[in-house]
Structures are given as C-alpha cells and as structure tokens.
Amino acid sequence: RGNVSLLLQYGSRNVLVDCGKTFRETALRWFRKHDVDAIDAVILTHGHADAVGGIDDLRDVQRPFSAATPVYLNIETKRVCQSAYPYLFPRRKASDVPRRIAQLDWRVISDNEDFQVHGIPTKAFPVYHGGTYISLGFSFGKDKPFVYISDVSSFPEETLRTISSLSPISTLVIDALNRGGHNSHLSLPEAIEFVKVIRPGKAYFVGMTCSLGLHQEVNEELKSISRESGIEMELACDGLSVRIEMTG
Ligand SMILES: [Zn+2]
C-alpha cells in the first residue's frame, strides 16, 4: 500500500491530508480516476516521512497562476519541513524565485485549533504517536463530523473528551497497524475497542501491515464483529472512495 493519506473533495476543492513518500505514485495512479486536477490545500498530521516526504512533488498538482497552496501544520511539523526542505521556505516573494518549486503558504495551527479549510469546518486535536510524540487527528464538518486519526498509539484524556463531544461521528478513520501491539500505533484489537467506545456510523482502519492477514479475510472477520457490535467496520485500501455528508 501507499502511505496513509486522505483526499477530501468538497465542491470544486481538493484538500489533501498528508503527503508522504508515495505521494507522487499515488497521485499518478488515482488522481485522474477520481477527477482530481489539482490540490487546493494540504493538512499535515505530523513530521514523519510517510506524512511529509512528498511535499516537494506538490508543485506538479498546483493550479497554474493561483495563490500559494495553504499548508496547515503544527510548529513541530513545520520545523521538520523547514530543515528538510529549506528551499520551500523562500525569504523572497514567491514570484521572485527563479526555480520552479512548490509555492506553499505555511499556516501554523495549534494542536487544538478550530479552523476553516476552503469552507470546511475543521478541528485539530493531539494524539500520542509513540510515547508523548504528538500527531494530529482532525474532524471535518459540524454535525455528524468525519474524523480522521491516521497515526496514534494512545490518547490524551482531553482529546478523548474532545472526540466524545463530537458524537455522533458519521465516519471514523483510525490507525490499526497489526494484531500484536506496537509502540507508536494502535493494533487492530485496540482500534476495534476504540471504535466500540466512540460508536461512529462507520469505521475504516488504515495503516495496516501485511502481518494482519489478507485484506478480504480480515474484512470477513470484521463483518462478524460489525454484526455483533452494530457498527460497520472495514479495512480501507488505496484508492478507496467514500461519499460522506458534510455540513458546513
Ligand atoms: Zn508517523
């Protein structure tokens, strides 16, 4: 699979959440199939390579002659990007830079920020992604929001309260690495327990390793867990397209 990523298509806008090492091949493989002609905003969860390693390639998916693409990220992720890609932080005006580089408008958000991305009400919240290292989760939309938590090993108490307050959640996307547990990701059993507590309308698991088992077989397993719990659960996959109702 490619690095975990989300593309929100909302009206005529395309908002990308995370732009990892495999962004280029993912864009080549899926963007045309899903009518994605350009990226209008980027949201970054954290500064690991599988979340930010493709930002240089954003130059190929920017609308010509448009303003710099907003990139929402916390200060730690900005530091990582700035040290890895200093040329994407030009001191001169973008129009003065002779090289063809991605024109990015870096917008630092707090770990608990409420903000709008091209009209989509968006809320950030911090989750632990190994020890006390912070990755951001996000909710999109006001009523019955769509919630995305791609990299998480545990939750700060305050974040659990925030997520509970979002209820009812229409769709939850949640990290589920393996079966046995891991320092920086939830295992599938842990993710299932979390889903049962949060009770979204539907849950998708992301970030799986091959050790979890074959995709279809695990999804069969999840069907019986879905029946027992009354919550639909499924493994996501590359290129998966889901329709969600989002209120602004
Ligand atoms: Zn990570």
Side-chain angles (χ1 to χ4, degrees), residues 46 48 50 129 151 185:
H46 67 300
H48 289 166
D50 57 356
H129 174 28
D151 294 83
H185 295 276

mmCIF file of all heavy atoms in Angstrom, residues 46 48 50 129 151 185, ligand 1:
data_model
loop_
_atom_site.group_PDB
_atom_site.id
_atom_site.type_symbol
_atom_site.label_atom_id
_atom_site.label_comp_id
_atom_site.label_asym_id
_atom_site.label_seq_id
_atom_site.Cartn_x
_atom_site.Cartn_y
_atom_site.Cartn_z
ATOM 1 N N HIS A 46 1.720 15.085 11.052
ATOM 2 C CA HIS A 46 2.963 15.069 11.826
ATOM 3 C C HIS A 46 4.144 15.056 10.870
ATOM 4 O O HIS A 46 3.952 15.024 9.651
ATOM 5 C CB HIS A 46 2.987 13.890 12.803
ATOM 6 C CG HIS A 46 3.044 12.522 12.176
ATOM 7 N ND1 HIS A 46 2.075 12.041 11.322
ATOM 8 C CD2 HIS A 46 3.967 11.528 12.281
ATOM 9 C CE1 HIS A 46 2.383 10.810 10.946
ATOM 10 N NE2 HIS A 46 3.539 10.476 11.504
ATOM 11 N N HIS A 48 6.701 12.877 10.237
ATOM 12 C CA HIS A 48 7.407 11.685 9.759
ATOM 13 C C HIS A 48 7.373 11.627 8.230
ATOM 14 O O HIS A 48 6.479 12.196 7.597
ATOM 15 C CB HIS A 48 6.777 10.409 10.343
ATOM 16 C CG HIS A 48 7.037 10.237 11.816
ATOM 17 N ND1 HIS A 48 6.359 9.343 12.604
ATOM 18 C CD2 HIS A 48 7.915 10.874 12.636
ATOM 19 C CE1 HIS A 48 6.816 9.411 13.852
ATOM 20 N NE2 HIS A 48 7.752 10.337 13.897
ATOM 21 N N ASP A 50 6.513 9.422 6.126
ATOM 22 C CA ASP A 50 5.317 8.902 5.450
ATOM 23 C C ASP A 50 4.147 9.883 5.503
ATOM 24 O O ASP A 50 3.076 9.613 4.966
ATOM 25 C CB ASP A 50 4.921 7.521 5.997
ATOM 26 C CG ASP A 50 4.668 7.527 7.492
ATOM 27 O OD1 ASP A 50 4.870 8.576 8.135
ATOM 28 O OD2 ASP A 50 4.263 6.472 8.016
ATOM 29 N N HIS A 129 1.620 9.466 19.362
ATOM 30 C CA HIS A 129 2.057 8.574 18.277
ATOM 31 C C HIS A 129 3.440 8.051 18.677
ATOM 32 O O HIS A 129 4.452 8.441 18.138
ATOM 33 C CB HIS A 129 2.077 9.393 16.977
ATOM 34 C CG HIS A 129 2.630 8.697 15.774
ATOM 35 N ND1 HIS A 129 2.578 7.337 15.594
ATOM 36 C CD2 HIS A 129 3.243 9.188 14.656
ATOM 37 C CE1 HIS A 129 3.141 7.031 14.434
ATOM 38 N NE2 HIS A 129 3.562 8.126 13.856
ATOM 39 N N ASP A 151 -2.422 8.212 12.749
ATOM 40 C CA ASP A 151 -1.237 7.721 13.461
ATOM 41 C C ASP A 151 -1.423 7.947 14.948
ATOM 42 O O ASP A 151 -1.325 9.079 15.421
ATOM 43 C CB ASP A 151 0.019 8.463 12.971
ATOM 44 C CG ASP A 151 0.332 8.148 11.526
ATOM 45 O OD1 ASP A 151 -0.281 8.782 10.637
ATOM 46 O OD2 ASP A 151 1.144 7.245 11.278
ATOM 47 N N HIS A 185 1.720 2.818 17.219
ATOM 48 C CA HIS A 185 0.432 2.692 16.510
ATOM 49 C C HIS A 185 -0.521 1.816 17.318
ATOM 50 O O HIS A 185 -0.085 0.942 18.071
ATOM 51 C CB HIS A 185 0.625 2.035 15.133
ATOM 52 C CG HIS A 185 1.430 2.859 14.182
ATOM 53 N ND1 HIS A 185 0.886 3.859 13.411
ATOM 54 C CD2 HIS A 185 2.756 2.836 13.895
ATOM 55 C CE1 HIS A 185 1.840 4.418 12.671
ATOM 56 N NE2 HIS A 185 2.992 3.820 12.950
HETATM 57 ZN ZN ZN B 1 4.471 8.580 11.974
#
